[in-house]
């Protein structure tokens, strides 16, 4: 059974790992393994599946793919995707998640063109000494799109005020654009599979079309993007109306993803009216 990582550990361990980038070496790192320090000086190794991306403007992102087989997925308890800021002082890395005051300090144990190893040196007592092993990853990017970049994920950021209809339309439209860019990335990379989970979308994808999950307006991942339930319901209705505007599903592509793109383009056109 997969090891369940406490939310505080997840939020504090991963963050600082992000800062590892010095100028000119910003990229995405796949956190593949963590070694949790124990009080008796023994450690426990956890094989992990999360991504840390660092950018030269000081922004960073944390994307958690970890999912439990017999429990609610982590996304039900905290955001699948989070943004923050990073900075580096020598071998020390500091990462701060947006909307928190939690800083965790790491030291860079080793780094080369493929691997990064970090150790927590300051933070909650129970996390001290934890080791993260990270591998360079190009899994979620193409020449034209970076799925993990903060600018690609503004629609995921919960606003600090109740949004107007125009603002909600912009948020929903940005989500549709995100999906379009994702499927274009799949085609550009000649990838023969796609991962609905990484999209955090209420859309369902079938061999002959797309649809919306029942009662998706009350679904935690979707609702978490909005100021409140009322805004989420309004945003949901925009998606529903956009989907209903499609009179005939556009097929004829060489693969399913081309059909999805054509359908999403029709929804985009409806939202832009």
């Amino acid at each position: 059974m997969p090891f369940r990582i406490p939310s505080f550990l997840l939020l504090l361990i991963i963050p600082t790992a992000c800062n590892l980038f010095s100028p000119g070496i910003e990229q995405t790192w796949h956190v593949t393994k963590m070694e949790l320090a124990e009080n008796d000086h023994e450690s426990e190794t956890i094989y992990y599946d999360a991504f840390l991306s660092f950018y030269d403007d000081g922004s960073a992102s944390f994307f958690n793919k970890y999912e439990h087989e017999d429990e609610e997925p982590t996304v039900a308890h905290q955001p699948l995707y989070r943004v923050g800021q990073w900075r580096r002082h020598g071998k020390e890395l500091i990462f701060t998640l947006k909307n928190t005051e939690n800083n965790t300090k790491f030291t860079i144990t080793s780094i080369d063109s493929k691997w990064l190893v970090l150790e927590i040196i300051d933070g909650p007592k129970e996390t001290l000494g934890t080791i993260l092993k990270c591998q360079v990853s190009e899994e979620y990017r193409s020449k034209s799109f970076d799925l993990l970049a903060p600018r690609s994920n503004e629609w995921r950021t919960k606003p600090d005020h109740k949004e107007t209809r125009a603002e909600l339309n912009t948020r929903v439209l940005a989500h549709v654009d995100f999906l379009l860019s994702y499927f274009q990335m799949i085609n550009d990379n000649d990838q023969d599979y796609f991962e609905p989970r990484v999209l955090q979308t209420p859309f369902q994808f079938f061999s002959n079309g797309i649809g919306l999950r029942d009662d998706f307006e009350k679904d935690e991942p979707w609702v978490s993007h909005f100021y409140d339930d009322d805004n989420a319901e309004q945003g949901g209705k925009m998606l529903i109306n956009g989907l209903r505007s499609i009179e005939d599903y556009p097929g004829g592509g060489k693969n399913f993803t081309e059909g999805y793109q054509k359908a999403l383009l029709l929804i985009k056109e409806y939202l832009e009216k």
Side-chain angles (χ1 to χ4, degrees):
M1 183 182 80
F3 185 89
R4 183 177 183 82
I5 298 185
S7 59
F8 67 85
L9 182 60
L10 188 64
L11 296 180
L12 294 174
I13 279 188
I14 303 294
T16 314
C18 310
N19 299 10
L20 80 101
F21 296 105
S22 59
I25 59 171
E26 297 86 347
Q27 50 196 314
T28 294
W29 299 87
H30 184 189
V31 184
T32 60
K33 186 168 66 174
M34 293 195 300
E35 293 181 1
L36 305 182
E38 302 291 345
N39 293 332
D40 58 3
H41 303 294
E42 295 181 358
S43 64
E44 180 177 4
T45 298
I46 298 174
Y47 293 95
Y48 201 57
D49 199 4
F51 293 82
L52 298 168
S53 294
F54 304 88
Y55 302 91
D56 58 9
D57 63 357
S59 65
S61 67
F62 161 55
F63 175 62
N64 173 31
K65 277 179 60 177
Y66 197 78
E67 187 172 3
H68 307 285
E69 295 177 354
D70 58 348
E71 300 179 36
E72 290 295 319
T74 306
V75 69
H77 306 290
Q78 59 191 16
L80 184 75
Y81 177 93
R82 301 193 71 176
V83 296
Q85 297 289 319
W86 68 275
R87 64 184 187 274
R88 176 180 177 181
H89 303 288
K91 290 187 176 182
E92 182 182 87
L93 301 172
I94 303 173
F95 180 82
T96 304
L97 286 172
K98 186 173 182 179
N99 298 327
T100 74
E101 296 180 353
N102 293 326
N103 289 340
T104 301
K105 295 181 181 179
F106 282 69
T107 187
I108 300 174
T109 301
S110 65
I111 183 172
D112 57 33
S113 62
K114 294 184 179 180
W115 291 95
L116 166 73
V117 180
L118 300 169
E119 179 180 355
I120 296 179
I121 58 173
D122 191 12
K125 182 178 179 181
E126 60 269 26
T127 68
L128 299 182
T130 297
I131 304 293
L132 278 73
K133 189 169 186 179
C134 315
Q135 184 176 20
V136 168
S137 173
E138 296 289 327
E139 184 173 350
Y140 293 117
R141 66 172 62 183
S142 65
K143 292 181 179 179
S144 61
F145 181 64
D146 182 350
L147 181 145
L148 301 181
R151 64 180 177 273
S152 301
N153 293 272
E154 292 180 353
W155 58 272
R156 296 188 199 254
T157 304
K158 190 181 183 74
D160 59 5
H161 65 280
K162 196 175 184 70
E163 294 187 304
T164 64
R165 181 172 180 81
E167 289 173 320
L168 288 170
N169 190 81
T170 297
R171 180 177 296 277
V172 174
L173 183 57
H175 177 61
V176 173
D177 278 332
F178 174 83
L179 297 177
L180 283 166
S181 297
Y182 173 76
F183 287 119
Q184 186 59 52
M185 180 190 75
I186 294 296
N187 291 331
D188 291 345
N189 292 343
D190 293 322
Q191 192 170 311
D192 58 3
Y193 67 93
F194 69 97
E195 301 172 89
R197 172 168 166 72
V198 310
L199 303 176
Q200 202 169 349
T201 181
F203 280 111
Q204 290 183 306
F205 302 96
F206 308 101
S207 59
N208 60 346
I210 64 175
L212 289 166
R213 300 196 304 269
D214 292 339
D215 204 25
F216 72 89
E217 303 98 320
K218 300 185 185 304
D219 182 69
E220 171 61 26
W222 172 254
V223 173
S224 67
H225 306 150
F226 295 90
Y227 180 76
D228 58 16
D229 290 348
D230 179 59
N231 269 182
E233 184 177 355
Q234 293 178 64
K237 287 180 179 178
M238 291 177 183
L239 278 189
I240 292 172
N241 290 336
L243 187 62
R244 288 176 177 172
S245 72
I246 302 176
E247 296 181 358
D248 297 306
Y249 184 77
K254 65 180 181 181
N255 53 42
F256 295 149
T257 58
E258 286 192 9
Y260 302 152
Q261 284 181 292
K262 292 178 181 179
L264 289 165
L265 278 172
L266 292 175
I267 295 173
K268 178 178 179 177
E269 290 176 4
Y270 173 84
L271 293 171
E272 290 178 330
K273 290 180 179 179

